[in-house]
Amino acid sequence: MEALGVRNIVKQFPNVLANDKVTLSIEKGEIFALVGENGAGKSTLMKIVYGLYTPNSGEIYVFGKKEDIKTPQDSIKLKIGMVHQEFMLIPRFTVTQNIVLGDEPHKGFVFDYLRAISEVREISDKFGLKIDPTEKVENLPVGIQQRVEILKILRRGAEILIFDEPTAVLTPEETSELFKTLNALKQDGKTIIFISHKLNEVMEIADRIGVMRRGELQGIVNKSETNERELARMMVGRDVVLELPKANVKAGDEVFSVSNLNVKNTKGILGLKGVSFSVHAREIVGIAGVEGNGQAELVNAILGFLKPTSGKISINGKEIKLITPYNMRTRGMSYIPEDRKRRGLVLPFRARENIIMGQHTLYPFSNRGILNDKEIDAFATKKLQEFDVRPPDIYSKAESFSGGNQQKIILAKEMSLKHNFLLASQPTRGLDIGATEFVYKMLVEEKKKGIGILLISLELSEIMGLSDRILVLYNGEIVGEVTPEETTEEELGLMMLGLKRKERVQ
Amino acid sequence: MQLLNLAIAMMLDFAAPILLASLGGVISESSGVVNIALEGIMRFSAFFGVWGSAVAKNQWVGLLWGIGIGIVVGAFHAYITVKWAGDQIVSGVAINVVSLGIITYFLELIFKTTGYSPSVPYFGSAANRISLTFLSKIPVLGAFSRLTIFVWLSLLLTGGLHFLLYHTVLGLRIRSVGENPTAAETLGVNVFKIKWFAVIMGSVFAAIGGAALSLGTMASFNNTGVAGGKGFIALAAMIFGKWTPFGAMLAAFLFASAQVLQFILQATARGIASQIPSGFYSALPYFLTIGALVGVVGKAVGPAADGIPYKKES
Ligand SMILES: Nc1ncnc2c1ncn2[C@@H]1O[C@H](COP(=O)(O)OP(=O)(O)O)[C@@H](O)[C@H]1O
Ligand SMILES: [Mg+2]
C-alpha cells in the first residue's frame, strides 16, 4: 500500500530549480532513503510534503488520497511528521513544553502542564524513548534533543516520519541508537523517509533508496541490489574518487611548529599537554583523535583564542610572540575552520564580501578605506567559477548556499590569501561526497604547490588517505606518531582510545 | 507613619504608568516584536484620554479613547513589523516622532492652547479615587487607602500578565513565537496571529499607562511633560526585569522610589544642598536607570528571536 506519493513536483526558487518533476511512491512500513549531494533538493521536496513550501506544480497523495497540503497544520492532520535538519526546538522550554506546543492539554484556556508531563511520560514509555520531561532542552545533548523531536511528531500521531539528515549532528553511538529507534518504529508499522548523504548509513538502514541530483530523481534502487559505489555514481553523475593517489613529493623546510605547548581550555582544565610537532613544506601532517581530546585547544591556541600556559608556536622558523589571528595570517597561515557558519563566513554577507574578507583592506579591493566594487565583483566572479560554486551568484548571501558550496567559498577565500601553511580543521565536516572529493583534491594540490598542511580530522579514512605523517591525540597528549604505510586503522583506533602508544619515528 | 504611607502612595503613583507600559513591552517582546514606541503610544493615549474626557465630561470615556488610540497605533506597528516584516526599530521611532508633532498640532486645533490642555474630569479627584478608608490608619497598608484606579490596574495586570504568559496555552505560544517562530510554525502555531495579538495587547497596556499620565493624578495633558521619557524608562524596566511581569514591577518600583527620593531630597535640602540646581535632582531617577542597566544588562537575556522580523518561507 502506498503511504506517500509525490507526482511531478516542481519547485523553482529565484535562482535554482530545486525540484524538477520529482515522482516518488513510498510504501507503508518501509524505510525509504533519499540520498543526494547537498543542494540536490531533498529538503525542499520534504518541506513541500510537510507544507512549509508551496510547489509550483505537482500532486501529493497520502494513503491513496490526493491532498492539498498548504501548511504544517494540514500535514500534521494527515499524520505526517518531520524531524528537521536544523532542530525545531526551543532551548529555553522544557522537554514537555517543546513536545506539546501547538496541541497543548488544557482546561479552558489554562495550560495543563501536569497533564502534559504525564502525556509525555506515556508516549516516551510507549516508544521506549527515554527522556526527562521537566528538563530544559538547552541542557540536553544533541542525541536526546533529537529524541524530543521524534516524540514531538509521534505524539501528534505521525504515521509517516520524515528525518532530514538526522545523523549529521550525532556521534556514532547516538547514530546507532537512532537506528535502533528507526527499526523499532518500522516494526510498529510506521513509514520512514530517511534523508542522508552518508552512503554507508543508507546501506545499513534503508529498504529502498531514491537518489536525487540537481533537483531530479535519478532513480530508485533496492538496497539488496546496489552498493555504495553505484549510489555515489548516481549521486554525483560520474565516478567518485575518494582514494587519491598520494602525491609523493619530498618534504621541504619547516613551515610551522609548536613546541611543548600547554593549553588550558575555557573550563580551566589543561586540554593540551606538552605537545610538540612540526609541519614541513609539501607535507600533510594528520592529527587523528576522538573529538574532545585536545583538537579544539590546539586550534584555538594556534589562532590565539586561547593563551597557552607555556610553549612556543612558530611559523617559518620564527616564533610568534603575540599570537592573534591577524599576526598568524600575516605571517603566512590560512585556516579552514571546523565550523563553517560561525568561523568561516559572515552568513548575512554576500558571497562577494565573504570572498575578499581578510584582504578587504588591501589594494585593489580598497583604496584609502573605500571599497572598489568593480575589482571585488571581478575577483569574486572569477573565484566562484574557479571553485565551481553553485549557483555562481556573487550577490547571494552566504547563508543561502548549501554546505558544500559554503565550504567552497571559504576555500576560495583562504586559498587566495598569501600563505605557506594551511591549518585545515575538519575540512570535510558535514560535506557530501562530491564536495569532500573537491576538498581532498584541493589539499593535494596545495601540497604539491609547496604548502605545509596540518590536517585535523575525526575521519580515520581521511587521515589515512591524505597524511604523510599521522599524530594521534589522546587526552591532550600526542600518544603516537606513525606513517599511513606502517599502520592500520585498527592500530590508530587503539591509540585514539589510549590503549596503545607508539614511539616517534625520527 | 503618615509620611511613610504618603511616600509609598506617591511611589505607586509614579510607578503605575511606567509599570503599565513596561508590561506592554513584556508582552510584545515575548512574541519577538520590539516595541520602542511605548513612549509615543503613551503620549498618544494621554492626549486622546484628555480629549475623550473633555468631550464626554467623563474620565472613563477618556480612558476608552486612550485605549482606542493604543489599538490603532499598535495595529500600525503590527502592520509594519508583522505583516510586512519591516524593521521594528524604524517603525517604533516613526511612531515616537509622529506623536511629537501631531499632538502639538492637535492641542492647538482642539483646545486652542499651547503647552497645556484645560483640566478635565480625571481619576485622581477625591471622589474618583478608590477609597479603602479602613486601611488608612495601618502602617504601609495605609498607602493603599486612597489610590487611583491606575495603580490598582498596574498591580492587577502584572499578576494577570504573569498568569497569561506562564499558565495559559496562549502564553506558551506567545513565548514560543518569541523564541523560535519557525519551530512554532512547524507545530501548527499561527505565528502571525500571535504576533498581531501580542503587539496590539502590548500597545493597549502602554496606552493605559499613557492615560495614567494625564487622567491619573493630573487632570490635563502637558505637552512637554508627557510622556517625558517614561516610555523609555519602561523599556529599561522591562530589560531590568528580564522580560518578566514581576521583574518589570520591581524595576518600576525601583525607578519610582528614586523619584520619590528626589522629591524628598529636594524638599528637605538645607544649606549647601539647597544650592544644587533642581535639574540635578530631577535627573537622579534617570541616572539610576542607567546605573541599573549597566549593572544588569550584561546578564539579562531576552527572547531568542526578539527583534528579528519573521517571514514565512514560500
Ligand atoms: N528558501 C530557499 N530560497 C532559495 N533557494 C533555496 C531555498 N531553500 C533551498 N534553496 C536552494 O534549493 C536547492 C536545493 O536545496 P535543498 O533542498 O536544501 O537541498 P538538500 O536538502 O538536498 O541539500 C539548493 O540550491 C538551495 O540553495
Ligand atoms: Mg537538506
Side-chain angles (χ1 to χ4, degrees):
Chain A
M1 181 188 161
E2 182 187 79
L4 177 72
V6 302
R7 311 259 190 280
N8 290 314
I9 294 281
V10 175
K11 177 70 185 174
Q12 173 78 56
F13 283 120
N15 46 21
V16 287
L17 185 58
N19 286 160
D20 187 1
K21 298 222 187 73
V22 179
T23 297
L24 269 182
S25 173
I26 293 157
E27 289 293 307
K28 181 173 180 328
E30 74 170 332
I31 298 184
F32 184 92
L34 198 54
V35 301
E37 293 191 273
N38 283 322
K42 309 176 297 286
S43 298
T44 301
L45 184 66
M46 288 304 134
K47 283 183 182 174
I48 289 172
V49 169
Y50 192 62
L52 285 170
Y53 292 160
T54 326
N56 295 76
S57 64
E59 290 161 2
I60 298 172
Y61 292 80
V62 182
F63 293 112
K65 257 184 68 194
K66 179 164 184 269
E67 302 284 356
D68 191 14
I69 301 175
K70 288 216 183 69
T71 64
Q73 282 103 308
D74 297 337
S75 62
I76 290 169
K77 274 196 208 104
L78 295 168
K79 302 199 177 306
I80 300 173
M82 180 156 172
V83 173
H84 296 266
Q85 196 165 356
E86 265 124 49
F87 287 171
M88 296 288 178
L89 293 171
I90 296 169
R92 270 196 255 173
F93 279 17
T94 63
V95 167
T96 297
Q97 287 171 328
N98 268 287
I99 291 177
V100 302
L101 181 67
D103 178 29
E104 307 84 351
H106 55 90
K107 289 193 190 116
F109 53 85
V110 178
F111 174 38
D112 191 345
Y113 188 51
L114 292 180
R115 202 170 97 216
I117 290 176
S118 70
E119 279 185 23
V120 166
R121 279 228 171 82
E122 219 169 277
I123 194 110
S124 130
D125 289 345
K126 181 171 166 203
F127 290 97
L129 293 168
K130 277 206 211 79
I131 38 100
D132 173 0
T134 55
E135 183 62 81
K136 285 222 170 97
V137 162
E138 63 193 354
N139 300 332
L140 299 176
V142 181
I144 309 290
Q145 291 190 6
Q146 189 171 60
R147 213 173 273 175
V148 176
E149 288 274 40
I150 298 173
L151 284 170
K152 205 158 91 175
I153 61 179
L154 287 173
R155 179 168 170 279
R156 295 297 191 87
E159 288 296 324
I160 301 172
L161 290 85
I162 304 168
F163 290 85
D164 195 352
E165 299 203 19
T167 59
V169 287
L170 301 183
T171 63
E173 295 76 37
E174 288 171 329
T175 300
S176 59
E177 194 63 24
L178 172 71
F179 283 3
K180 273 189 217 145
T181 305
L182 293 186
N183 278 319
L185 290 171
K186 177 180 154 184
Q187 293 308 316
D188 229 48
K190 311 257 187 243
T191 308
I192 290 165
I193 301 171
F194 176 86
I195 302 181
S196 180
H197 57 240
K198 295 187 190 157
L199 297 177
N200 54 342
E201 292 181 350
V202 167
M203 289 302 288
E204 183 181 341
I205 192 84
D207 297 314
R208 287 193 305 148
I209 301 157
V211 184
M212 287 187 75
R213 183 169 82 229
R214 299 211 199 161
E216 282 180 73
L217 186 73
Q218 299 299 315
I220 296 175
V221 288
N222 286 324
K223 181 185 58 189
S224 48
E225 294 159 9
T226 188
N227 56 43
E228 287 188 34
R229 183 167 289 272
E230 185 192 24
L231 289 173
R233 194 179 321 118
M234 287 169 78
M235 260 170 75
V236 185
R238 58 181 163 79
D239 279 310
V240 186
V241 210
L242 286 181
E243 291 108 57
L244 298 170
K246 270 269 168 57
N248 273 319
V249 284
K250 188 139 174 41
D253 296 337
E254 177 188 300
V255 293
F256 176 81
S257 74
V258 301
S259 75
N260 203 16
L261 201 61
N262 288 292
V263 182
K264 276 192 183 157
N265 59 26
T266 43
K267 294 191 190 102
I269 300 161
L270 206 55
L272 215 52
K273 301 166 195 163
V275 167
S276 306
F277 63 85
S278 58
V279 181
H280 298 83
R282 286 189 295 280
E283 180 187 42
I284 299 183
V285 176
I287 303 254
V290 176
E291 184 154 33
N293 276 281
Q295 292 94 335
E297 287 83 357
L298 178 61
V299 169
N300 286 334
I302 295 175
L303 289 169
F305 292 165
L306 285 176
K307 199 170 149 45
T309 47
S310 65
K312 282 201 303 197
I313 297 180
S314 321
I315 289 187
N316 299 322
K318 274 228 215 74
E319 185 187 347
I320 311 291
K321 286 274 180 355
L322 180 65
I323 305 163
T324 64
Y326 180 81
N327 283 350
M328 295 299 282
R329 282 171 174 283
T330 47
R331 300 282 184 359
M333 182 184 83
S334 271
Y335 169 49
I336 305 174
E338 53 290 327
D339 186 344
R340 274 191 288 289
K341 297 189 177 190
R342 290 185 56 203
R343 286 194 172 177
L345 295 165
V346 182
L347 289 174
F349 280 18
R350 298 166 199 281
R352 63 191 281 277
E353 286 131 16
N354 271 291
I355 255 173
I356 59 150
M357 213 164 278
Q359 34 188 344
H360 54 283
T361 55
L362 304 177
Y363 188 82
F365 302 123
S366 71
N367 194 357
R368 298 197 188 93
I370 309 287
L371 290 174
N372 184 339
D373 283 333
K374 238 169 83 191
E375 289 289 342
I376 295 171
D377 286 357
F379 179 77
T381 308
K382 194 178 98 201
K383 285 291 165 189
L384 290 195
Q385 247 153 33
E386 194 180 312
F387 282 80
D388 190 29
V389 177
R390 278 178 239 157
D393 177 10
I394 59 168
Y395 295 106
S396 287
K397 289 185 178 173
E399 63 200 356
S400 73
F401 289 91
S402 69
N405 286 300
Q406 287 181 343
Q407 192 73 341
K408 286 181 184 174
I409 294 176
I410 294 174
L411 295 180
K413 172 184 74 168
E414 294 295 328
M415 295 312 110
S416 61
L417 294 168
K418 197 168 165 298
H419 66 287
N420 60 359
F421 167 61
L422 173 62
L423 173 61
S425 181
Q426 304 183 38
T428 62
R429 184 177 189 162
L431 297 186
D432 57 55
I433 39 176
T436 300
E437 183 193 27
F438 188 94
V439 172
Y440 288 178
K441 276 198 184 135
M442 199 220 59
L443 289 176
V444 172
E445 279 309 306
E446 283 276 292
K447 171 179 156 182
K448 282 191 197 150
K449 272 193 233 156
I451 287 162
I453 301 172
L454 181 63
L455 170 70
I456 300 172
S457 174
L458 308 176
E459 304 277 343
L460 270 188
S461 58
E462 186 164 301
I463 293 274
M464 288 288 278
L466 289 167
S467 314
D468 298 294
R469 269 191 302 144
I470 301 171
L471 307 173
V472 183
L473 204 51
Y474 170 71
N475 201 12
E477 282 179 85
I478 290 180
V479 295
E481 177 170 341
V482 290
T483 63
E485 290 77 26
E486 59 171 27
T487 189
T488 59
E489 292 205 8
E490 286 69 40
E491 189 186 48
L492 280 178
L494 289 177
M495 288 196 275
M496 281 160 61
L497 294 173
L499 300 172
K500 184 169 180 179
R501 278 176 177 260
K502 203 142 187 189
E503 287 302 305
R504 302 200 157 198
V505 285
Q506 280 306 322
Chain B
M1 206 79 307
Q2 217 52 9
L3 197 69
L4 176 68
N5 285 353
L6 206 66
I8 294 176
M10 196 165 155
M11 186 279 282
L12 291 169
D13 270 334
F14 282 138
I18 295 173
L19 174 53
L20 284 161
S22 190
L23 294 175
V26 169
I27 182 167
S28 178
E29 299 211 4
S30 291
S31 83
V33 181
V34 172
N35 191 348
I36 61 156
L38 295 177
E39 174 87 1
I41 295 169
M42 288 177 93
R43 206 174 137 77
F44 266 114
S45 122
F47 177 80
F48 274 72
V50 164
W51 188 5
S53 181
V55 169
K57 310 246 177 311
N58 182 321
Q59 68 282 2
W60 287 100
V61 175
L63 178 59
L64 283 182
W65 280 41
I67 290 175
I69 191 70
I71 292 175
V72 171
V73 179
F76 171 81
H77 192 53
Y79 183 75
I80 301 291
T81 61
V82 181
K83 167 90 181 167
W84 295 111
D87 191 294
Q88 302 169 4
I89 303 298
V90 171
S91 171
V93 169
I95 292 170
N96 286 337
V97 170
V98 167
S99 81
L100 285 177
I102 213 166
I103 285 168
T104 309
Y105 171 68
F106 271 22
L107 200 57
E108 298 197 16
L109 188 74
I110 290 157
F111 296 114
K112 316 273 186 274
T113 56
T114 33
Y116 285 89
S117 75
S119 290
V120 296
Y122 72 122
F123 290 96
S125 62
N128 289 335
R129 283 182 181 258
I130 293 173
S131 197
L132 303 170
T133 335
F134 63 95
L135 289 177
S136 61
K137 291 282 178 301
I138 310 170
V140 183
L141 284 184
F144 292 83
S145 63
R146 290 192 58 69
L147 292 170
T148 67
I149 178 130
F150 290 109
V151 174
W152 288 107
L153 265 180
S154 71
L155 301 178
L156 289 177
L157 287 176
T158 302
L161 185 59
H162 174 87
F163 186 78
L164 174 78
L165 284 179
Y166 297 101
H167 296 284
T168 69
V169 172
L170 179 61
L172 186 76
R173 292 185 179 190
I174 291 175
R175 289 187 294 131
S176 75
V177 163
E179 292 285 342
N180 186 347
T182 322
E185 170 103 43
T186 58
L187 287 167
V189 172
N190 189 327
V191 175
F192 293 99
K193 255 194 211 160
I194 298 271
K195 286 192 182 232
W196 268 93
F197 172 81
V199 172
I200 292 182
M201 269 290 276
S203 297
V204 167
F205 276 55
I208 300 174
L213 290 176
S214 63
L215 298 173
T217 49
M218 303 287 174
S220 63
F221 180 82
N222 166 359
N223 197 28
T224 49
V226 172
K230 298 223 168 47
F232 293 112
I233 298 218
L235 272 183
M238 173 195 75
I239 296 169
F240 192 53
K242 306 205 164 158
W243 285 265
T244 63
F246 283 112
M249 182 175 88
L250 289 182
F253 284 179
L254 184 71
F255 299 140
S257 303
Q259 238 161 352
V260 173
L261 192 69
Q262 165 219 326
F263 265 96
I264 294 174
L265 284 180
Q266 220 168 344
T268 58
R270 298 275 179 281
I272 194 89
S274 62
Q275 305 294 309
I276 300 173
S278 68
F280 171 80
Y281 290 106
S282 332
L284 256 186
Y286 298 88
F287 282 133
L288 189 83
T289 309
I290 295 172
L293 281 177
V294 169
V296 81
V297 85
K299 285 160 262 159
V301 209
D306 197 11
I308 304 166
Y310 180 69
K311 286 188 207 125
K312 190 170 160 22
E313 296 179 276
S314 55

